Amino acid sequence: MVLTIPERLAGQRLDRALADLAEEAGLGISRSRIGALLADGAVTGPGADGKNPAKHRVAVGAAYVLTLPPPIDPIPEPQAIPLDVVHEDAHLIVIDKPAGMVVHPAPGAPDGTLVNALLAHCGDSLAGIGGERRPGIVHRIDKDTSGLIVAAKTEAAHSGLSALFATHDIQRAYRAIAWGAPGIERLTGRDGIGMETGGWIRVESQLGRHPQDRKKMAVLSSGGRHALSRFRVAQRFGPEDKPYASLLDCRLETGRTHQIRVHAAHIGHPLIGDPVYARPRQLPNVAGDATERAKIETFPRQALHAAKLGFRHPIKGELLQFCAELPPDMHELLTILRRNM
């Protein structure tokens, strides 16, 4: 592809100018990727073969030939794992991920991940991201959280989706089942917690690694990253004055690691089944059938589901909105709660 420097980019660094033109052309190639291509000799034109080509100042009318190498095969192997595909086009794919599936290969989970499954499912429709034929993962949900996740199939879609997530222009709604039921009267006066219209409880804090346990996240008094969640009680289970559990609607304004789980625990209502942020609990004997009480108390994962996902298509510009019903295990948990409480 030939990219010609217009007047508005005269005097700019070569890597910055080419990244700008590549974005206009719909290639969605990052500036760092342009730098790597320059270093590999994949760009020809004035200054592109110099000692430090990325810093070369470009002139009006200078033409550069950008040669993108064919995507190389990624290290993760394609695996034919069934996927619940909610939406797919030439640019992106939306999956309803089951609980128990890791999103990306990592130590302890080298395969059987969503990435392995997408490599097999998408095949040659993956146009290549960062020079590799791989899906572009722009956000993640925990292994034992179920629900909607979007992945890019092209570099341009990956760049566009990444920008949407960076500016929080993504609608994300979760459903969770928590111990007890949050009430603003018990939260009044706590820093970063407030009541909003429609019954929403706003929880805002700094979130970062737990100072004593680096495998956990925690609300921090200083440091960390800004995190904002909203919770609303959709249904209470148990006595009106002291519910045993509740179904929560959750909204994410930011996307920090374990954000909903940490914020729910922070306001005193950790998610049922959460092995990290909730202590084991026992329901009173009056709370229904003993066998069904045990199913609630021993629910095997955090009861959290990414139920809604909305965003503007990074290439077509149309508004996309997706919903995913609760998975069978959470549906059964709700049925037990409604039947016994």
Side-chain angles (χ1 to χ4, degrees), residues 7 20 46 60 102 112 125 166 173 179 187 222-223 246 278 280 299 302 311 323 340:
E7 185 175 355
D20 191 301
V60 176
V102 175
S125 70
W179 290 111
L187 301 173
S222 62
S246 58
F299 193 71
Q302 62 264 13
F311 55 91
C323 297
N340 289 277

Side-chain angles (χ1 to χ4, degrees), residues 269-286:
H269 300 281
L271 305 188
I272 288 177
D274 194 324
V276 178
Y277 302 104
R279 297 188 303 272
R281 297 196 184 190
Q282 287 188 326
L283 292 164
N285 289 337
V286 295

Side-chain angles (χ1 to χ4, degrees), residues 23 138 157-170:
E23 182 177 355
V138 293
H158 184 259
S159 177
L161 287 171
S162 296
L164 291 175
F165 275 92
T167 56
H168 310 304
D169 289 327
I170 298 283

